[in-house]
Amino acid sequence: DDQVETVLLRLFRGTGLGGFSGMQPSRPLAPDLKIELVRPLLRTSRAEVVDYLRHLGVSWREDASNRDLRYARNRLRQHVIPTIQRHAHPEATAALLRLATRAGQTQAYLDQQASALTQQAQTVHGLRRDLLLAAAPVICELTLWTWLKAHSGRVPSEEVVLRVTQRLQAGHGTVQVPGGGCVWADDALLVFEAQTTQPAHALWHIAGSLEASVDERIAQKLRRHRKLRVGGHKAPTHQRQ
């Protein structure tokens, strides 16, 4: 039931093919953690769980917030989905689950194709325009989406991907990317250029200050070392006099 609700929520809010795949049975909890989040009952309906508990004679608890109609998921669960089953098709939820499975499989294939295109088109300075333009539009756009996300650290909007695609096709122009940076195109390449928060002259000033600070610390160490050497030995005769 959660999977059906998730697919419908994403459909109504607006989503791409990947959104139709819903929640995954398992996924990494975080990119830097070797911990898997597993949903073992994802494909099990609430009715099946309740029937099983009744068969075992086991009582259960329900979260009171599940009945709060202020939440969109609860409105779907209590009103929208039952209405669809009654007036559209009694097996509508099963059809939505099949859609989610097919969407996930298709998205995985497209991701593989986009990854292969990125590896082929990537150069030291940017992506080759000729290879991007030769690819199917859906693969090209997915490649740009992944590339922009990796460089900017943010999920690019559909508008940003569209504007970058236009620059790619035109072979000139610049697009500012949220998160800092810009994308520009020429006859051969599509380039992502990161932008620093400090202007160049400020960076030179910081670098100079750091260098002066390091030089001063070295000089202090040399002076202390010299004092220790003098203090550890007798001074020459002309100094004692």
Side-chain angles (χ1 to χ4, degrees):
D1 294 345
D2 285 345
Q3 184 75 304
V4 173
E5 294 159 7
T6 298
V7 172
L8 287 176
L9 281 172
R10 292 179 179 179
L11 170 63
F12 296 147
R13 292 171 179 171
T15 186
L17 183 62
F20 278 118
S21 64
M23 297 179 287
Q24 301 306 307
S26 65
R27 65 172 178 82
L29 190 59
D32 56 341
L33 295 177
K34 295 182 179 180
I35 301 176
E36 288 284 319
L37 173 63
V38 180
R39 300 183 177 96
L41 300 179
L42 186 60
R43 301 188 184 279
T44 305
S45 69
R46 182 181 187 278
E48 290 173 321
V49 174
V50 170
D51 287 344
Y52 183 68
L53 292 174
R54 285 174 177 165
H55 175 73
L56 296 178
V58 177
S59 60
W60 66 90
R61 290 179 179 270
E62 293 193 23
D63 191 337
S65 66
N66 288 339
R67 296 188 296 272
D68 191 340
L69 295 181
R70 290 178 299 175
Y71 301 111
R73 183 178 290 271
N74 291 343
R75 294 194 295 273
L76 281 176
R77 180 182 302 144
Q78 297 184 37
H79 297 292
V80 177
I81 293 176
T83 300
I84 292 174
Q85 290 173 319
R86 285 195 304 268
H87 299 287
H89 198 285
E91 298 297 327
T93 55
L96 284 171
L97 290 176
R98 290 195 298 271
L99 171 63
T101 300
R102 294 299 185 189
Q105 294 170 345
T106 305
Q107 185 65 54
Y109 172 77
L110 294 177
D111 288 340
Q112 292 176 357
Q113 296 301 307
S115 177
L117 177 58
T118 301
Q119 293 178 6
Q120 294 170 2
Q122 185 67 60
T123 70
V124 176
H125 301 292
L127 298 177
R128 288 177 51 182
R129 285 187 62 242
D130 59 339
L131 295 181
L132 292 174
L133 293 173
V138 65
I139 302 298
C140 179
E141 290 180 10
L142 182 56
T143 299
L144 294 178
W145 184 90
T146 307
W147 181 68
L148 290 168
K149 180 182 177 183
H151 281 79
S152 68
R154 293 188 180 184
V155 176
S157 66
E158 184 177 349
E159 179 185 358
V160 169
V161 175
L162 176 60
R163 288 163 55 199
V164 171
T165 302
Q166 292 171 343
R167 300 283 70 76
L168 168 69
Q169 294 170 343
H172 62 83
T174 302
V175 177
Q176 294 295 323
V177 178
C182 67
V183 174
W184 54 269
D186 61 17
D187 292 340
L189 295 174
L190 190 68
V191 180
F192 186 97
E193 184 174 339
Q195 294 178 344
T196 62
T197 55
Q198 294 281 357
H201 67 274
L203 293 176
W204 281 112
H205 176 73
I206 293 173
S209 299
L210 290 173
E211 183 178 0
S213 176
V214 171
D215 289 344
E216 178 58 26
R217 288 198 298 270
I218 293 174
Q220 290 177 357
K221 288 184 178 180
L222 289 174
R223 286 194 292 270
R224 287 198 298 268
H225 183 65
R226 188 174 301 158
K227 289 180 180 179
L228 289 174
R229 285 176 59 87
V230 173
H233 300 278
K234 291 184 178 179
T237 305
H238 70 276
Q239 290 185 5
R240 292 202 302 269
Q241 294 175 349

